[in-house]
Amino acid sequence: MTGFLDRAKEQAQQALQQGKEKVDEIQAQRAGGELLKKLGAAYYAEKRGSGAAQATQDALSALEAHISAHGDGFLRS
């Protein structure tokens, strides 16, 4: 009986870890999407004359840092 409980506990811990990884992945995708929106808004404002080139560059840098840390999977979803 102890072996069964140990296996069940191990499986539960693995499922919990997989769940946490999925949540982290979804949060990273959402953050990437938000950074992409900010870049678009900064670029649009710059082209309309109401935004600064530095704001666009800052948004691009933040997006590139996010991609370096989390990958670019959010660009395809």
Side-chain angles (χ1 to χ4, degrees), residues 2 5 8 13-14 19-21 23 25-26 28 32 35 40 45-46 54 58-59 61 63 71 74-76:
T2 304
L5 293 176
Q13 288 173 341
Q14 288 175 350
K20 286 180 182 180
E21 289 171 2
V23 167
E25 179 183 328
I26 290 170
L35 290 170
E46 179 184 349
Q54 186 60 46
D58 291 347
S61 295
L63 181 62
F74 70 94
L75 295 172
R76 293 182 212 101

Side-chain angles (χ1 to χ4, degrees), residues 8 18 40:
Q18 288 174 345

Side-chain angles (χ1 to χ4, degrees), residues 31-48:
E34 287 299 315
L35 290 170
L36 197 56
K37 283 185 197 178
K38 288 180 182 180
L39 174 59
Y43 180 77
Y44 179 75
E46 179 184 349
K47 292 302 174 188
R48 289 197 65 214

